[in-house]
Amino acid sequence: MIIGAATTGVLTLAGALIVARTAGIGPLREVLPLTLLLALSWAHPVLVLRTEETEAFQLDEPFFVAMAVLLPAPGTILVFAAATAIGNVVRRRPLTRAAFNIGQTVTAAGLGLAAMHLLATPGAGTSRLATLAAAVLGAAVFMLVNSAAVSVVISFNEAKRAAHVFLDGLDLRVLVWAGGTALGLLAAIGAVANSWALALAALPMAALNLVLREHARARRQTERSHDLLVAANQIHASVAAADVEGAVVAATKSLLHCRAARIDTASPGPAEFAVRLPDPAPDRWLVVSETIGFDRLGPREHELLEVLAGIAAGALRNAWLLEEIRHRAIHDSLTELPNKVLFMDRLQHALDAGPRSGERLAVMFLDLDQFKVINDSLGHDTGDQVLLGVADRLRGALRQGDTAARLGGDEFAVLCEHVGSADDGVVLAERIQAAASGFSVINGVELGVTASVGVVIVEPDAGVSAETLLQAADTAMYRAKDRGRDRIEVFDDQLRNRAYARLETETTLRRAMEEGRLRVFYQPILSGVTGRVVEMEALLRIETPNGTLLGPADFIEVAEQSGLIATIGVQVLEEACRQAAAWRRRYPDRDPIRVAVNMSARQLSRIPIADTVKAALSAAGCSPDMLGLELTETVLMEAGEHVRDELEMLRKVGVTVGLDDFGTGYSSLAYLKRFPVDFLKIDRCFVAGLGHDPEDEAIVDAIISLGRSLGLSTVAEGVETVEQLTKLRGLGCDRMQGYLFARPQRAADLDALIEHPWQVPPELLLAS
């Protein structure tokens, strides 16, 4: 475009010089003042700012009209060339820009004069009015050619359509043309009467320049107000995209018309314009430089920059808060490791990329061994410090690209991509386990931690889901726990079959719940003295579609692992309370039959046990003394202090609490002291040895004596022979249950046993 303008300008000047040799350029008394005034106009134009450029408006039109009427065409072209050159020198415009300005203006003048001469040629009998009208037409062509050339250049620099740029500034161009043309007509008419009229035209031209400047300023102010609103919306919209700084910089460059802007901690340089960002980033600056069209920015621009800085600070604050929320949503709040959500996302992404990369990956599930003991004995703060130490060691053991996550509690997971072979995966697992295990000194106490690890090696084309893989690693980890802890187990075909069986069992369990096929059976518990039924233990069965029954051994473990135990437990509790109330109504003249319900650790952790029990009692119309809760030592080990408080609350209203399988745990006496207990249930493994194993007999005797000294009653389970019954009666056991008396049955089948005391059948007496 610059070359084209310069070329046409040179050709136009050459033609003007050739014609000037015969036609002349006009009298110097008119040429010199016109050249001087036009040069002043070019030296002090009205600037309109674009995004990357400025568009200069000179008072060319009045000079074009005046010279078109007063001077020969060559004189007009040469005056425009000389004045434009002088103005560009005064403004210190680059050579290429000056060449474009001169070529463009000379070309526009030549085309404008050509259009004028097509309508009317000055002199040669042409009337004064026709000449003036022709000059106005020429000025219009002059303006349109100039505007088109400038619009094309700006469109290239700003990557906009030329038509859009042309129309965007058309209002100001028409204003300049209208005012300038009118002023030029007056100057031409006055100069015909007296050549000094041209000098007098300087004052109205200056006034017109001021009017145009004010118009440009008002327009710029209006555009800035609109653009500031748009910029504010864009900056706040950028919060969600986490690109606030980019939006602020773009808005600053657009609003202040500068080629460079930045947010920086470094102080601004001497040639830069800046304001300090307010909170939350008081140590950062919003800096602009390389302004377009002005030597320096003024107070108005400083105020605008301060407004932008305030908007930026607010948006940055929101962005930081949003980023914090995003971070918290996918990271563990204690260890700052990824949480399960982020881990599963990365695992699924790795699985999706597997067929393309052709590489194996390994998924590991880690669980710290006996971590609950640390929490219970030293407190949760110490437990948190242990977890932080494990997390730090895991980070240090990861390869680049691996992911370690905390899934919750003391459970961690690790994703290792780009695993060469199954053996390599095991080596990585050993490295991870070694990192998770180790000693830490916390508050002066040295603590050793070990981890059980389950590993799944995944082939590139496995075609499994992330959830399935994590479950498989979890299954392998549980086998590591079952085999003694502090070891690594790899998921294999045996575990896969076990997982399929577990899935099938869970499906059966869910369908039974949906279809109402959960059945509660009851096993009587008899008085050791009278032989009468004093209690019933509620035991769950699942009835299959073909009518067979599944016992707890077939599904309880799956119910625990799937979390369904909480819902099932509540249903059993509610049914047991209803049955206890029904027996009370059926046998009003005898002592109430208490119903004992087993509670698991998952139940205690998932439901508010005190509120749940009270609600079940109330709904069934059952008094609290007709309900007993049985918990194992393992359950108590996993329970927290809140469980102890809730059990104590239930005991106060009359619900009894018993310790099941007593003597098989690790800390029986400690838990008798910590938890509120009413009775001890002697495990069947000790009862089975009565009559032929002196050690079992001594253990049973010790448990009964311990209970008696602590004011606790005792219940023996698994009684199957008359000899065991005789021994237990001799040792003073309070209550007994077992196949000797009755197997678990439906409530309707127990009426005979409830109505009559149990007697040893004669055939059993003879056999004994």
Side-chain angles (χ1 to χ4, degrees), residues 468-490:
T468 300
L469 282 180
L470 189 63
Q471 184 61 55
D474 184 33
T475 300
M477 183 275 294
Y478 272 107
R479 184 164 71 176
K481 292 277 190 185
D482 293 340
R483 293 185 174 181
R485 302 185 178 92
D486 190 19
R487 58 184 291 130
I488 297 169
E489 290 290 337
V490 179

Side-chain angles (χ1 to χ4, degrees), residues 525-529 534-535 594 596 627-630 651 655-662 672 676-683 700-717 728 731-736:
I525 300 174
L526 281 61
S527 167
V529 177
V534 294
E535 194 170 350
R594 182 187 298 117
L627 177 66
L629 303 178
E630 294 188 6
R651 287 188 71 219
V655 176
T656 59
V657 178
L659 191 55
D660 197 7
D661 301 335
F662 186 78
L672 282 180
V677 174
D678 297 293
F679 64 89
L680 305 177
K681 203 164 192 180
I682 305 169
D683 189 77
V700 172
D701 186 20
I703 294 174
I704 294 172
S705 298
L706 175 65
R708 188 180 298 116
S709 64
L710 294 176
L712 308 177
S713 62
T714 51
V715 181
E717 62 179 353
L728 288 168
L731 293 173
C733 184
D734 298 304
R735 300 188 298 283
M736 307 167 203

Side-chain angles (χ1 to χ4, degrees), residues 1 111 181 224 245 248 254 256 281 335 339 388 395 458 496 572 593 672 737 758:
M1 189 66 191
L111 292 174
T181 300
R224 277 183 175 174
E245 292 196 12
V248 171
S254 176
L256 272 72
T335 63
N339 62 12
L388 286 169
R395 287 190 188 95
V458 187
R496 184 175 290 106
V572 172
I593 298 175
L672 282 180
Q737 74 178 106
W758 183 84

